[in-house]
Amino acid sequence: MSADRETTSRVERDVSTEPLYVVRVRDHIDGRIAGHDGCTYVSPPASRESALALVGLLLGSGPRPANGAAAWTHAVPGGRRTITLAPASDRTG
C-alpha cells in the first residue's frame, strides 16, 4: 500500500510542475463591415496539449506555427484573428 501512495504522490507532483499556457485571441474587425470592432479572449491556464487543441479549433485545422513562433493569423469575416500561445506566468499581452 505504501508503494501505491508513493507512485500516486510522484504523479501528482509531475502534473503540478507541468507548465501551463494561455491562448490569447484578438479579432481585428472593421466595424463598418461586421457591425462591431472585434473582441478579445484569454483562455484559462491549461496544459500545452490542451492549449494547442484550442488553437486548432479556433483555426479550423491543426496549429502549425510559422518559423516556430507561437502566433497565428487567420482571416475572419471583416478582418483577421490573431491567436497567440503564451506561458500562463506571462501576464503581459
Side-chain angles (χ1 to χ4, degrees):
M1 190 153 173
S2 64
D4 288 339
R5 282 189 199 149
E6 182 178 320
T7 302
T8 301
S9 61
R10 189 176 330 123
V11 169
E12 288 171 359
R13 266 186 265 126
D14 289 345
V15 169
S16 67
T17 61
E18 178 183 352
L20 297 176
Y21 293 83
V22 293
V23 176
R24 292 188 179 101
V25 183
R26 170 84 171 119
D27 284 351
H28 306 271
I29 305 293
D30 185 334
R32 297 170 299 169
I33 295 171
H36 62 88
D37 293 327
C39 60
T40 61
Y41 172 77
V42 178
S43 74
S47 69
R48 182 172 173 82
E49 182 179 321
S50 292
L52 285 172
L54 176 58
V55 170
L57 180 68
L58 291 166
L59 292 172
S61 65
R64 292 185 187 93
N67 301 323
W72 300 262
T73 301
H74 186 70
V76 294
R80 71 183 185 283
R81 173 172 290 158
T82 303
I83 304 167
T84 57
L85 180 68
S89 60
D90 180 9
R91 300 288 184 210
T92 62

